[in-house]
Amino acid sequence: MRTETVENYLKTIYNLSSDNTLVVTNQQLADKLSINPASVTEALRKLHELKYVIYEKSYGTRLTTAGSKLALGIVRRHRIWETYLVKELGFGWDEVHVIAEELEHVQNDKLINKLAEILGNPVYDPHGDPIPDAKGKILKSNFIKLSETKPKGNYKVMGVIDHSTAFLKYLDKHQLIIGATITIKTIEEFDNSIILICQKKDVNISPKAAECIIVQAL
Amino acid sequence: MRTETVENYLKTIYNLSSDNTLVVTNQQLADKLSINPASVTEALRKLHELKYVIYEKSYGTRLTTAGSKLALGIVRRHRIWETYLVKELGFGWDEVHVIAEELEHVQNDKLINKLAEILGNPVYDPHGDPIPDAKGKILKSNFIKLSETKPKGNYKVMGVIDHSTAFLKYLDKHQLIIGATITIKTIEEFDNSIILICQKKDVNISPKAAECIIVQAL
DNA sequence: TTATTAATTTTGGTATACCTAAAAGTTAAT
DNA sequence: ATTAACTTTTAGGTATACCAAAATTAATAA
Ligand SMILES: [Mn+2]
Ligand SMILES: [Mn+2]
Ligand SMILES: [Mn+2]
Ligand SMILES: [Mn+2]
């Protein structure tokens, strides 16, 4: 298997399994990778042979220790590059994900560690995701989704789940950026959209968007 | 064809054809790419169909205008990355080639132009090779190889042809770095090795190494 | 429980990018 | 002009990584 393919599978399994607590289904992988489910089955069989995953037929997949180690390396590279692009090269948080998708596959530990050092060994990337250290150690936070908040509560935006340009530009427009403080005003009965106050302005967030915003109670 | 494969062929054809004046043979490509000649034939047929090269059976290959444009882009990316790794990230000139082999395939003009801008739009890379500008324009120099020099002459080291770590470390050891001034003492009759003075010390250069060092007469 | 629906796997197939071995073509030497 | 040496191409084959369609298996609803 080509390393880039292996890496994309391992990273995606990692991202979908929430720190290896969940078993990942073929469907989820097919969706995330935009690949036919039949191809996912084949790939998982090979990854199982390579001992990067434990794939149980018709049930699901999870990473082995070896697979986890690799996945964390890829995630580290992705997030370090995103941070470097934003902090050192002046890119917007809405532009860096696609570039990091390519840069993450460049295999050179010295390079990544050098970038990390220049950045002061950051612990969070521009989207609020934790960056594993060189040994693969990663912080786990207990933040919640905006969709899980209650009216009248005050929260701080800690991160986003979706890294697409479209979504991040939409957040920029409403100043819903990392660190922003918000107050939940109401939740619409009709469609579950959330009305919150950010920078003294009312903002209406769709349920779909609320699933992609990570906050911390204040 | 996978873009990375196409890119590696185009770049290699470019590097072997000395600015499109020479026709490149299959053998040369097979050697440089460490690929079987039979595979080169197949690949060239496809590149011809894609109109990136003019491939004449049993004769040779040269780049089309479209192929040249692409090749210059890849060469630009390779050399900008090498320069960035040395100048901004503290790598040695002997370490950067392999990393740039990967980074050169990351497709993002804004990124490369940003790096170039930070570097002050450099015209030469750490090995003395000219860097094409964003439009593909490239300086052509009329420097000569060390193997073409005459005894008693004074020269300045302008570049190297081989980018391998082994070769560059060997040059470092003798202080034969870019910008160094040298005087040719003699050329051994026996094996054509060159004895020159660099930093007041005698250095003996094999004919093979002399083919890989670019100098300018002073 | 039995349909119905949905997810997964199998089957058969494509395109890419390599390979080895053999055949054909080219170049150079006698 | 032949032979010999080398280069290139053809023929046949492998592994990867995908696909669509059909068959199977699992989950859900009636
Ligand atoms: Mn990302
Ligand atoms: Mn990727
Ligand atoms: Mn190089
Ligand atoms: Mn390359």
Side-chain angles (χ1 to χ4, degrees):
Chain A
M1 251 174 141
R2 261 183 62 219
T3 55
E4 202 173 314
T5 307
V6 172
E7 290 188 340
N8 283 335
Y9 271 97
L10 295 180
K11 184 190 64 168
T12 308
I13 294 166
Y14 176 87
N15 285 332
L16 287 169
S17 70
S18 306
D19 226 338
N20 231 359
T21 53
L22 298 177
V23 155
V24 177
T25 68
N26 294 21
Q27 190 99 86
Q28 289 177 298
L29 283 168
D31 287 349
K32 278 274 176 201
L33 294 167
S34 302
I35 277 173
N36 188 291
S39 308
V40 172
T41 302
E42 291 173 55
L44 291 177
R45 231 196 317 257
K46 276 177 217 149
L47 290 173
H48 185 105
E49 274 166 33
L50 291 167
K51 302 214 200 285
Y52 292 147
V53 304
I54 294 156
Y55 156 63
E56 290 178 71
K57 207 169 136 169
S58 284
Y59 166 66
T61 304
R62 61 196 196 288
L63 294 170
T64 61
T65 307
S68 254
K69 205 165 282 179
L70 281 180
L72 282 160
I74 302 149
V75 167
R76 172 169 164 82
R77 295 198 294 269
H78 184 100
R79 294 178 183 172
I80 287 288
W81 272 117
E82 285 190 341
T83 311
Y84 193 83
L85 290 168
V86 169
K87 291 270 177 68
E88 300 293 324
L89 300 179
F91 282 83
W93 73 331
D94 58 312
E95 316 178 89
V96 297
H97 180 74
V98 273
I99 311 177
E101 275 304 309
E102 296 189 59
L103 287 166
E104 72 188 0
H105 301 292
V106 174
Q107 276 286 10
N108 189 290
D109 286 346
K110 190 173 167 185
L111 173 57
I112 292 299
N113 293 336
K114 180 75 200 175
L115 299 179
E117 187 199 314
I118 289 170
L119 293 164
N121 295 303
V123 175
Y124 290 104
D125 81 4
H127 310 107
D129 293 311
I131 302 174
D133 71 16
K135 283 172 191 152
K137 214 178 156 189
I138 190 166
L139 291 183
K140 38 181 169 275
S141 52
N142 52 348
F143 304 140
I144 59 172
K145 291 178 186 169
L146 181 57
S147 55
E148 295 160 343
T149 59
K150 295 270 173 319
K152 310 293 164 219
N154 292 308
Y155 301 89
K156 191 170 167 186
V157 176
M158 301 306 289
V160 291
I161 288 175
D162 189 311
H163 290 188
S164 70
T165 303
F167 177 61
L168 299 176
K169 276 194 166 158
Y170 159 85
L171 294 185
D172 271 339
K173 206 166 59 189
H174 299 298
Q175 309 236 27
L176 271 170
I177 56 181
I178 288 177
T181 301
I182 59 174
T183 306
I184 311 296
K185 223 168 150 182
T186 50
I187 296 171
E188 281 288 357
E189 286 227 12
F190 170 61
D191 64 354
N192 278 313
S193 63
I194 295 171
I195 292 125
L196 55 81
I197 301 164
C198 178
Q199 297 283 111
K200 290 172 185 162
K201 278 190 195 128
D202 276 26
V203 184
N204 191 318
I205 301 291
S206 73
K208 192 183 163 194
E211 285 291 321
C212 295
I213 300 169
I214 301 294
V215 299
Q216 180 182 30
L218 290 181
Chain B
M1 251 173 141
R2 261 184 62 220
T3 56
E4 201 171 316
T5 308
V6 172
E7 289 189 340
N8 281 336
Y9 271 98
L10 296 181
K11 185 190 65 167
T12 308
I13 294 167
Y14 176 88
N15 285 334
L16 287 169
S17 69
S18 306
D19 223 341
N20 231 356
T21 53
L22 297 178
V23 155
V24 176
T25 68
N26 293 22
Q27 191 101 87
Q28 288 176 298
L29 284 168
D31 288 350
K32 278 277 174 197
L33 294 166
S34 302
I35 278 174
N36 188 289
S39 308
V40 171
T41 302
E42 292 173 57
L44 291 176
R45 231 195 319 256
K46 276 179 220 148
L47 291 172
H48 185 103
E49 274 165 34
L50 291 167
K51 301 216 201 282
Y52 292 148
V53 305
I54 293 156
Y55 155 63
E56 290 178 72
K57 204 170 138 169
S58 284
Y59 166 66
T61 303
R62 61 196 197 290
L63 294 169
T64 61
T65 308
S68 254
K69 206 164 282 177
L70 282 179
L72 282 161
I74 302 148
V75 166
R76 173 171 164 81
R77 296 199 294 269
H78 183 99
R79 294 178 183 172
I80 288 288
W81 272 117
E82 285 190 340
T83 311
Y84 192 83
L85 289 168
V86 168
K87 290 270 176 68
E88 301 293 324
L89 300 179
F91 283 84
W93 73 330
D94 59 310
E95 312 178 273
V96 297
H97 180 75
V98 273
I99 311 176
E101 276 302 311
E102 295 188 61
L103 287 165
E104 72 188 1
H105 301 292
V106 174
Q107 277 285 8
N108 190 289
D109 285 346
K110 190 173 167 183
L111 173 57
I112 292 299
N113 292 337
K114 181 75 200 174
L115 299 179
E117 187 198 313
I118 288 170
L119 293 164
N121 295 302
V123 175
Y124 291 104
D125 80 4
H127 310 105
D129 294 311
I131 301 173
D133 71 16
K135 283 172 192 155
K137 215 178 154 187
I138 189 166
L139 291 183
K140 38 181 167 278
S141 52
N142 51 350
F143 305 141
I144 59 172
K145 292 177 185 169
L146 181 57
S147 56
E148 295 161 343
T149 58
K150 295 271 170 331
K152 312 294 165 220
N154 292 306
Y155 300 89
K156 192 171 168 185
V157 176
M158 301 305 290
V160 292
I161 287 175
D162 189 310
H163 290 189
S164 71
T165 303
F167 177 60
L168 299 176
K169 276 196 164 154
Y170 160 83
L171 294 186
D172 271 339
K173 205 167 58 190
H174 298 300
Q175 309 234 24
L176 271 170
I177 55 179
I178 287 177
T181 301
I182 59 173
T183 305
I184 311 297
K185 221 167 153 183
T186 50
I187 296 171
E188 281 288 353
E189 284 226 13
F190 169 62
D191 64 355
N192 278 313
S193 64
I194 294 171
I195 292 124
L196 56 81
I197 302 164
C198 179
Q199 297 282 107
K200 290 173 183 161
K201 276 187 198 135
D202 275 26
V203 184
N204 191 318
I205 301 291
S206 74
K208 191 183 164 194
E211 285 291 320
C212 296
I213 300 169
I214 301 293
V215 300
Q216 181 181 30
L218 290 180

